[in-house]
Every structure is written in C-alpha cells, then in structure tokens.
C-alpha cells in the first residue's frame, strides 16, 4: 500500500512526528538505496540480515542512553573490560553488542578452554574485570569453568555471572556452589544485565582498592 520511504516523507512533513528518529531496514538493498533513504529523511539505514551489534549501536545512538551509561561505566577514562564465554556465535555477538551499548569493552571466546587460556595468559593489568559465562557448553560447561577459575589464585576473585536458559532451583544452587557471583537467564534483558554487571564491578573495585591499601 505504501512503501517505507513514502511513510518517512509523510512523517517528516508532519510537525508532530518530524523529530522522531527513523531507521530504515531492508532485505533488498540495491546500490543507491541508502542515499535515497537519507534523502527521504531517514536518520539511519540498516540492511538485513541485521547485524546485532550494529543494530544495538544504531538504536542506542538515537535513544539518548549511550552518553549517560558510558559516563557511569567509565567511558572517558578507560571502559571496564568484560569477557563473554559462549559457544553460540549469535549469543556472543548479542552480548558484546549489549555490553558496548552499556559503555563497557567486550571480548569473547567460544568455549571454556579458550576462556581459561585467555585469563591465565595475560598480565594482571590486561585481564578482563568480569566474566559472562554460558552454562551449557560442549566439553567444559560453565560450572567446570567457574570451579577452575576459583581454584586459580591469580584470577580467583574475578566476578562471574552465569548466563543460562536454566531456571530451576537446583541449577541456581549448583551455580552458587561452583562459585558464581550471580546469574542471568535467557533471553537477556538489557536493563537487568546492566544492573547486575555494574553491581559486581563496583564490588570488585572496592576489593581491589582494599588490596592496594593493604599492600601499601
């Protein structure tokens, strides 16, 4: 009945709707389409299949949340670094994108062995400050990885948030017994993720300050 560009033109001509940011999404991108979209009044242009990280960054740019959260989470000095461990590439990309829109630096690995190698190989100043760890992974599951981290004195105090589709009481108890600080269930809620991560990072910062005080 009416294509997206026509809808954009009408919205941008209306005084009540002209200031609303509009992102055009298309599965049939042709050369010159982006220029046509921007000329029609679109604020941004995305092609399908949607890149999760680019989508989150684009939406965040227009919702006014990025500058506030990035200021709260350390952007402007050095953003806190978080390691994502998940065997599913889509989940890794989603979590990295969410964390970046919350103002953190994110890196990811695809299994428990890679996670332990990453945590054990770097100097202390280069280590991530929190681990987001999937539970159900082939080979070495999240519980095993958590136990291995807690046994290693060099990284034993790293905050660990388990990311899982499991919601049973026994699963939660197993996560706590393994040494996890917190857990979050899938599908991930951005606000909940932000609150839990920020809380644990504040706790770690306090612990690090106490260690430095004792050392001095």
């Amino acid at each position: 009945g009416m294509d997206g560009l026509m809808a954009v033109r009408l919205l941008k001509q209306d005084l009540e709707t002209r200031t609303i940011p509009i992102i055009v999404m298309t599965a049939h991108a042709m050369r010159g389409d982006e220029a046509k979209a921007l000329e029609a009044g679109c604020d941004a242009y995305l092609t399908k299949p949607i890149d999760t990280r680019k989508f989150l960054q684009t939406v965040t740019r227009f919702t006014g949340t990025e500058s506030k959260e990035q200021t709260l989470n350390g952007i402007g000095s050095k953003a806190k670094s978080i390691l994502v461990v998940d065997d599913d590439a889509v989940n890794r990309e989603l979590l990295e994108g969410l964390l970046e829109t919350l103002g953190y630096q994110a890196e990811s690995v695809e299994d428990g062995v890679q996670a332990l190698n990453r945590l054990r190989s770097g100097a202390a100043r280069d280590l991530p400050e929190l681990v987001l760890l999937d539970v159900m992974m082939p080979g070495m599951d999240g519980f095993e990885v958590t136990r291995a981290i807690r046994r290693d004195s060099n990284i034993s105090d790293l905050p660990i948030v388990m990311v899982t589709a499991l919601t049973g009481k026994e699963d939660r108890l197993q996560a706590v017994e393994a040494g996890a600080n917190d857990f979050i269930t899938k599908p991930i809620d951005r606000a909940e993720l932000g609150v839990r991560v920020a809380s644990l990072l504040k706790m770690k910062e306090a612990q690090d300050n106490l260690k430095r005080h004792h050392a001095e």
Side-chain angles (χ1 to χ4, degrees):
M2 179 188 295
D3 66 26
L5 296 186
M6 179 59 72
V8 170
R9 291 187 185 98
L10 292 175
L11 289 167
K12 292 300 182 180
Q13 289 170 7
D14 190 319
L15 290 176
E16 293 186 2
T17 58
R18 66 189 305 172
T19 60
I20 299 173
I22 299 175
I23 302 171
V24 163
M25 299 187 291
T26 178
H28 305 288
M30 303 287 287
R31 182 177 295 178
D33 282 356
E34 183 172 4
K36 290 178 183 177
L38 297 176
E39 184 181 344
C42 296
D43 298 276
Y45 180 88
L46 294 172
T47 57
K48 300 174 184 178
I50 298 297
D51 179 287
T52 309
R53 184 181 301 180
K54 187 176 181 181
F55 173 80
L56 288 165
Q57 291 171 340
T58 302
V59 171
T60 301
R61 199 166 86 229
F62 295 109
T63 55
T65 57
E66 183 174 16
S67 59
K68 175 185 174 184
E69 287 171 332
Q70 288 192 345
T71 299
L72 289 173
N73 295 327
I75 297 295
S77 51
K78 183 181 178 183
K80 304 285 188 181
S81 175
I82 296 175
L83 179 66
V84 175
V85 188
D86 199 308
D87 62 305
D88 187 288
V90 174
N91 287 340
R92 290 197 302 273
E93 185 178 355
L94 173 63
L95 281 167
E96 284 187 42
L98 284 171
L99 290 168
E100 287 172 6
T101 67
L102 289 166
Y104 301 109
Q105 287 184 350
E107 61 176 301
S108 65
V109 294
E110 61 186 39
D111 61 42
V113 174
Q114 289 183 16
L116 292 174
N117 288 339
R118 167 66 183 89
L119 295 172
R120 290 167 174 168
S121 62
R125 65 179 179 276
D126 297 323
L127 286 176
E129 297 182 69
L130 183 141
V131 179
L132 274 177
L133 180 62
D134 186 35
V135 172
M136 305 303 290
M137 295 186 294
M140 192 176 199
D141 66 24
F143 301 124
E144 294 177 86
V145 177
T146 300
R147 294 187 192 100
I149 290 173
R150 294 300 180 232
R151 287 195 298 266
D152 190 323
S153 60
N154 293 319
I155 55 175
S156 60
D157 60 349
L158 270 176
I160 299 173
V161 179
M162 302 282 250
V163 182
T164 178
L166 304 174
T167 57
K169 183 178 179 181
E170 290 184 4
D171 300 314
R172 294 173 183 237
L173 289 174
Q174 189 174 356
V176 172
E177 288 171 357
N181 299 90
D182 206 342
F183 64 92
I184 189 168
T185 56
K186 300 176 183 178
I188 303 298
D189 179 84
R190 181 178 181 274
E192 182 183 7
L193 176 68
V195 169
R196 293 180 186 276
V197 168
S199 175
L200 286 173
L201 286 174
K202 285 179 182 177
M203 179 190 74
K204 184 176 187 299
E205 185 176 1
Q207 290 176 339
D208 290 344
N209 288 337
L210 188 60
K211 285 181 181 179
R212 280 193 293 271
H213 176 72
H214 286 164
E216 291 168 1

